[in-house]
């Protein structure tokens, strides 16, 4: 019996669930056989929780046990990976009782091997929203969103429902914008009883109308929770309040972009507010440049914090709360060394049960600087979800703080500071990545131990990106080793994201999906200019020597009402070397000695009269004649050009790493620094750009026609502009 209990808990069942299963002899036997079958495929330790959940669900629902081995093997081989596929598999074996099972029909009926891409989900949701667009615009957020979900699911039977929901939510938000007051007006399904002023006890019904934190799974309710929640709601008026709490000790990466968008976006979508709070509790690693860079990144993504705060704003209050925690018997001063506290099998501290008064005196001595670094810590009496016992609340650091100077020599830890600052700022939702789930219990425990208002913690999946690293520590290493330049030029895909769905599971995004989002934004915001990266001189011989006219170029050709600019057009222009071929090739549509080409925006078609070469035989100049595009036969293509241009530097960036997962030892055994793409940066020092960019400021954005999207680099000077390529244009395989 004990062995079977251990077997059941090994696949992720809670001990209580496992014991209940043992009481059902038939289910217990089926589940045991299912696990045994799966272990034959993966080994005793290869059945993870997700697989275990499917095995349990299958064993509890399967009527014909002769199919048990077949279905167990299908789950173990990850042919059946979702509840949706399992339901289809159970239906299939029920409707096909004959032996043997037709594997091909089974795979087809259960979606085995079917991969639904993010692009397919995006397109399916776009089609559904387009179908109901008029009604959506009319009813806005009162529209039945379940209809959109249902139709999208019908189009993509095997897609993850959560991913579809996230895509629906994102596209609806993009179409309708944040909710207005009118959108929020709705009749409550059940009228809740009002609480009179004489009522001392707060009724749960009243709280549920305005804030339902306490209903979240895992949220700890104490005898005083409802009163504290009522006071919180009185202070906030039921307003959603979130925060983005970065440590100012490194460069933000794409994972932070997801956190910024989720925290600020969730608050904005619910007419709430979001704080930018610097978690500045480690003075050894914090630098002013990171504070500035973080604020700039948040604003660059289009968000304005309701307020900018610091954990250090609360140092005095946090210290007083630590004293209170000791007085309540929930914390003690410990003298175990740092190396003794590492890992999860830390022996219990011999000072855990020291008298409260003794810990109070010792904590005061820590504050006064009477201990050396590492000689004493303040630890909390609790066990975290990952089994770590008594996390540290305060440690000694004789390092001046960037804001408080030498006032303090003890600093609070993340585990102690995070939830208390959330409580102090009346945050309603603490939104964090899944890796912090192990700290959720300590979050709730500490607020409740001090009898403080406790926000709710919600976790979402961490975002990773292929061909890059998502770690502040590793990005700093790239900067320190000279692989990339600091902050404003970091090519580790630093914050460029806005349209990433939020899921509980960890997600990995391909660069092309990110680049598509960037193009969508820049297509609407980056005015056009013409730039020639590899110039070829062209002299138009049938124009006078001193010929010069202005050509008007629309900033946004798709919407010319958004403005235009003029560029000079003279007898001498420059085109891309790749836009001319001396020998005609099949399918080539641009300039050759036999084939004319149009000049974009100029109203001219040019024809080659003479090809001039240097002593090595390289083409260095073309002599051409021109005629009006109104009278000439329509050319097969129009190319960009420049005349009397500015000489600029252009930097073309490619992927920084050679492998898809540079942090994976199985792909890159020698570490991510060994995987650098030596051709990831090409510098063109003498590119030619039309004069419309003259006077551009740092970070101004342009689309260089037929080339890509570019931004002005901070290294630019009054004498020479420098442009960084943000992303290429969309590739068109049919365009040569």
């Amino acid at each position: 019996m004990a062995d079977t209990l251990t077997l059941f808990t090994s696949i992720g069942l809670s001990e209580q669930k496992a014991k209940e299963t043992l009481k059902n002899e038939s289910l217990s036997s089926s589940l045991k056989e299912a696990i045994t079958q799966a272990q034959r495929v993966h080994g005793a330790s290869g059945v993870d929780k997700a697989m275990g959940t499917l095995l349990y669900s299958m064993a509890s629902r399967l009527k014909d046990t002769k199919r048990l081995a077949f279905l167990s093997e299908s789950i173990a081989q990850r042919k059946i990976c979702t509840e949706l596929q399992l339901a289809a598999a159970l239906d299939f074996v029920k409707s096909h009782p004959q032996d043997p099972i037709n594997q091909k029909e089974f795979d087809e009926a259960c979606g085995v091997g079917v991969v639904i891409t993010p692009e397919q989900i995006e397109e399916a949701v776009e089609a559904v929203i387009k179908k109901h667009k008029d009604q959506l615009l009319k009813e806005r957020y009162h529209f039945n969103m379940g209809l959109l979900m249902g139709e999208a699911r019908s189009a993509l039977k095997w897609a993850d429902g959560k991913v579809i929901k996230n895509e629906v939510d994102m596209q609806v938000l993009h179409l309708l914008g944040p909710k207005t007051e009118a959108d929020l007006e709705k009749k409550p399904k059940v009228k809740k009883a009002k609480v009179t002023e004489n009522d001392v006890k707060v009724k749960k019904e009243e709280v549920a109308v305005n804030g339902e934190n306490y209903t979240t799974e895992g949220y700890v309710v104490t005898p005083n929770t409802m009163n504290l929640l009522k006071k919180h709601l009185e202070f906030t008026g039921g307003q959603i309040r979130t925060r983005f709490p970065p440590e100012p000790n490194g460069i933000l990466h794409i994972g932070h972009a997801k956190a910024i968008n989720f925290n600020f976006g969730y608050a904005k979508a619910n007419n709430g507010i979001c704080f930018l709070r610097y978690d500045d509790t480690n003075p050894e690693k914090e630098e002013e440049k990171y504070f500035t860079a973080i604020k700039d990144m948040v604003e660059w993504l289009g968000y304005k914090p309701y307020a900018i705060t610091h954990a250090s704003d609360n140092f005095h209050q946090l210290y007083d709360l630590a004293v209170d925690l000791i007085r309540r018997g929930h914390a003690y001063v410990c003298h175990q060394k740092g190396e003794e506290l590492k890992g999860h099998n830390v022996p219990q501290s011999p000072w855990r049960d020291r008298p409260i008064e003794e810990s109070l005196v010792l904590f005061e001595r820590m504050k006064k600087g009477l201990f050396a670094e590492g000689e004493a810590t303040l630890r909390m009496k609790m066990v975290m979800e990952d089994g770590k016992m008594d996390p540290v609340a305060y440690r000694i650091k004789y390092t001046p703080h960037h804001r408080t100077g030498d006032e303090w020599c003890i600093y609070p830890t993340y585990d102690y500071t995070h939830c208390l600052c959330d409580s102090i700022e009346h945050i309603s939702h603490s939104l964090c990545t899944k890796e912090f789930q192990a700290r959720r219990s300590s979050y709730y425990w500490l607020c409740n131990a001090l009898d403080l208002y406790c926000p709710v913690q919600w976790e979402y999946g961490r975002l990773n990106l292929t061909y890059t690293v998502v770690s502040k520590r590793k990005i700093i290493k790239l900067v320190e080793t000279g692989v990339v330049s600091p902050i404003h030029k970091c090519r580790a895909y630093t914050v460029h994201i806005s349209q990433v769905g939020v899921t509980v599971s960890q997600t990995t995004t391909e660069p092309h999906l990110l680049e598509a989002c960037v193009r969508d934004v820049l297509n609407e915001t980056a005015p056009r200019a013409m730039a020639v990266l590899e110039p070829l001189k062209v002299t138009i011989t049938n124009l006078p020597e001193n010929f010069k006219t202005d050509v008007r170029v629309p900033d946004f050709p798709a919407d010319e009402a958004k403005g235009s600019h003029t560029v000079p057009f003279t007898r001498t222009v420059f085109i891309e070397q790749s836009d001319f071929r001396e020998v005609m090739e099949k399918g080539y549509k641009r300039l050759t000695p036999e084939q004319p080409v149009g000049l974009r925006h100029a109203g001219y078609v040019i024809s080659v009269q003479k090809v001039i070469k240097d002593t090595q035989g390289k083409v260095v100049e073309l002599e051409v004649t021109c005629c009006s595009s109104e009278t000439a036969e329509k050319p097969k293509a129009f190319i960009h050009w420049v005349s009397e241009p500015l000489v600029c530097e252009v930097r073309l960036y490619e992927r920084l790493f050679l492998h898809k997962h540079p942090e994976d030892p199985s792909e890159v055994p020698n570490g991510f620094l060994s995987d650098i793409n030596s051709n990831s940066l090409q510098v063109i020092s003498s590119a030619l750009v039309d004069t419309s960019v003259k006077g551009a400021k740092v970070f101004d954005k342009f689309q260089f026609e037929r080339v890509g999207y570019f931004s002005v680099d901070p290294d630019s000077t009054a004498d020479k502009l420098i442009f960084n390529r943000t992303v290429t244009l969309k590739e068109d395989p049919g365009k040569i």
Side-chain angles (χ1 to χ4, degrees), residues 94-136:
K94 182 180 179 180
S95 59
H96 295 75
Q98 303 85 4
D99 285 319
I101 287 179
N102 186 310
Q103 188 69 53
K104 184 178 180 180
E105 290 180 2
F106 175 85
D107 289 353
E108 186 176 342
C110 302
V112 174
V114 176
V115 177
I116 305 296
T117 66
E119 292 95 334
Q120 288 176 293
I121 293 176
E122 182 180 357
E123 290 170 2
V125 173
E126 279 179 355
V128 171
I129 287 182
K130 183 178 180 181
K131 176 182 175 182
H132 297 283
K133 184 176 180 180
D134 291 342
Q135 201 63 24
L136 263 169

Side-chain angles (χ1 to χ4, degrees), residues 197-299:
E197 294 180 0
N198 296 326
D199 286 336
V200 176
K201 183 178 179 181
V202 180
K203 295 183 179 179
K204 284 191 176 182
E205 287 84 354
E206 180 195 1
V207 176
V209 172
N210 298 289
E212 300 182 348
N213 282 4
Y214 74 93
T215 64
T216 299
E217 183 180 356
Y219 189 88
V220 180
V221 178
T222 70
N224 200 29
T225 293
M226 294 302 153
N227 284 318
L228 292 169
L229 189 52
K230 180 183 179 183
K231 290 176 182 177
H232 160 75
L233 294 171
E234 288 173 350
F235 179 86
T236 65
Q239 183 182 47
I240 296 294
R241 294 162 69 97
T242 61
R243 80 289 170 272
F244 173 56
E247 296 176 81
N249 61 2
I251 299 167
L252 296 190
H253 53 67
I254 194 169
H256 291 102
K258 182 175 182 179
I260 291 168
N261 277 283
F262 192 20
N263 278 281
F264 282 91
Y266 181 72
K268 184 177 181 180
N270 290 279
N271 292 325
I273 59 176
C274 184
F275 294 77
L276 168 58
R277 184 207 304 146
Y278 295 111
D279 183 18
D280 56 343
T281 57
N282 190 352
E284 292 176 331
K285 298 182 179 180
E286 293 154 6
E287 295 184 44
E288 184 58 38
K289 64 181 180 182
Y290 296 133
F291 287 86
T292 304
I294 289 169
K295 179 176 177 291
D296 290 346
M297 288 292 188
V298 169
E299 293 176 348

Side-chain angles (χ1 to χ4, degrees), residues 78 166 227 331 393 474 565 575 611 722:
R78 302 196 187 279
N166 289 333
N227 284 318
K474 290 179 180 177
H565 59 274
I575 66 172
V611 178
I722 299 174

Side-chain angles (χ1 to χ4, degrees), residues 213 216 219 240-245 262-263 266 277 414 418-423 426-433 436-437 439-440 443-444 447 453-460:
N213 282 4
T216 299
Y219 189 88
I240 296 294
R241 294 162 69 97
T242 61
R243 80 289 170 272
F244 173 56
F262 192 20
N263 278 281
Y266 181 72
R277 184 207 304 146
Y414 174 90
H418 188 60
C419 62
L420 296 183
C421 284
D422 282 353
S423 180
H426 280 278
I427 299 303
S428 61
H429 296 76
S430 172
L431 308 175
C432 54
T433 51
F436 291 99
Q437 183 172 347
R439 287 166 156 158
R440 188 203 297 168
Y443 186 105
Y444 293 156
C447 288
Y453 156 70
C454 185
V456 67
Q457 177 172 308
W458 287 354
E459 300 92 9
Y460 56 90

Side-chain angles (χ1 to χ4, degrees), residues 63-80:
K63 303 301 181 185
D64 184 2
T65 55
K66 75 176 183 179
R67 301 300 188 196
L68 185 72
F70 174 78
L71 291 179
S72 299
E73 186 174 336
S74 297
I75 293 171
Q77 292 175 345
R78 302 196 187 279
K79 292 181 178 180
I80 303 299

